Amino acid sequence: QVQLVESGGGLVQSGGSLRLSCAASGRTFTGLTMGWFRQTPGKEREFVAAVTWGGGTSYSDSVRGRFTISKDNVKDTMYLQMNGLKPEDTGTYYCAADPPPFGYVSLAGSYDYWGQGTLVTVSP
């Protein structure tokens, strides 16, 4: 079992920055693929970024070049640095963990464990 807790959300103006954190407990990051997803009311959960145990990263086209995913394996904490925020980035951001066997990193169904979410609001 993995427990995930996100933090760092808030209200920011367009063009601003935020850094989200995801702390894991129950087991370490060892062997896990970790991901960030976001969701707005009435829409499906959308892939944002992922990082594999080996450090490989993936991003959605909408955030590539603006967001950076990283993790600290000692602290069992994952981060999402969000720069150049746009109003369309508004949503609840969730972190997720995918233990082996791994699925596609961009599919929400690949992940077994989820945090409770943290709200990001970007004003125009």
Side-chain angles (χ1 to χ4, degrees):
Q1 289 286 342
V2 181
Q3 290 79 45
L4 303 171
V5 179
E6 303 96 336
S7 61
L11 174 64
V12 64
Q13 288 187 332
S14 182
S17 298
L18 282 175
R19 188 176 82 153
L20 305 183
S21 299
C22 172
S25 61
R27 63 164 286 180
T28 67
F29 276 359
T30 302
L32 298 177
T33 289
M34 303 296 297
W36 286 100
F37 288 76
R38 65 188 181 191
Q39 190 170 24
T40 53
K43 293 188 177 181
E44 293 187 356
R45 202 159 289 190
E46 173 192 20
F47 171 72
V48 175
V51 58
T52 66
W53 169 245
T57 58
S58 300
Y59 296 93
S60 69
D61 290 341
S62 63
V63 308
R64 186 177 294 111
R66 298 187 297 123
F67 291 9
T68 302
I69 190 171
S70 62
K71 63 188 176 88
D72 184 328
N73 292 330
V74 174
K75 296 181 178 179
D76 289 323
T77 301
M78 177 177 65
Y79 305 97
L80 185 68
Q81 178 66 45
M82 306 186 294
N83 298 328
L85 283 162
K86 305 175 181 179
E88 51 263 44
D89 294 318
T90 293
T92 300
Y93 283 69
Y94 298 89
C95 70
D98 176 21
F102 302 117
Y104 290 105
V105 298
S106 61
L107 296 181
S110 298
Y111 295 80
D112 292 346
Y113 304 102
W114 293 84
Q116 83 289 348
T118 186
L119 179 62
V120 172
T121 303
V122 184
S123 62

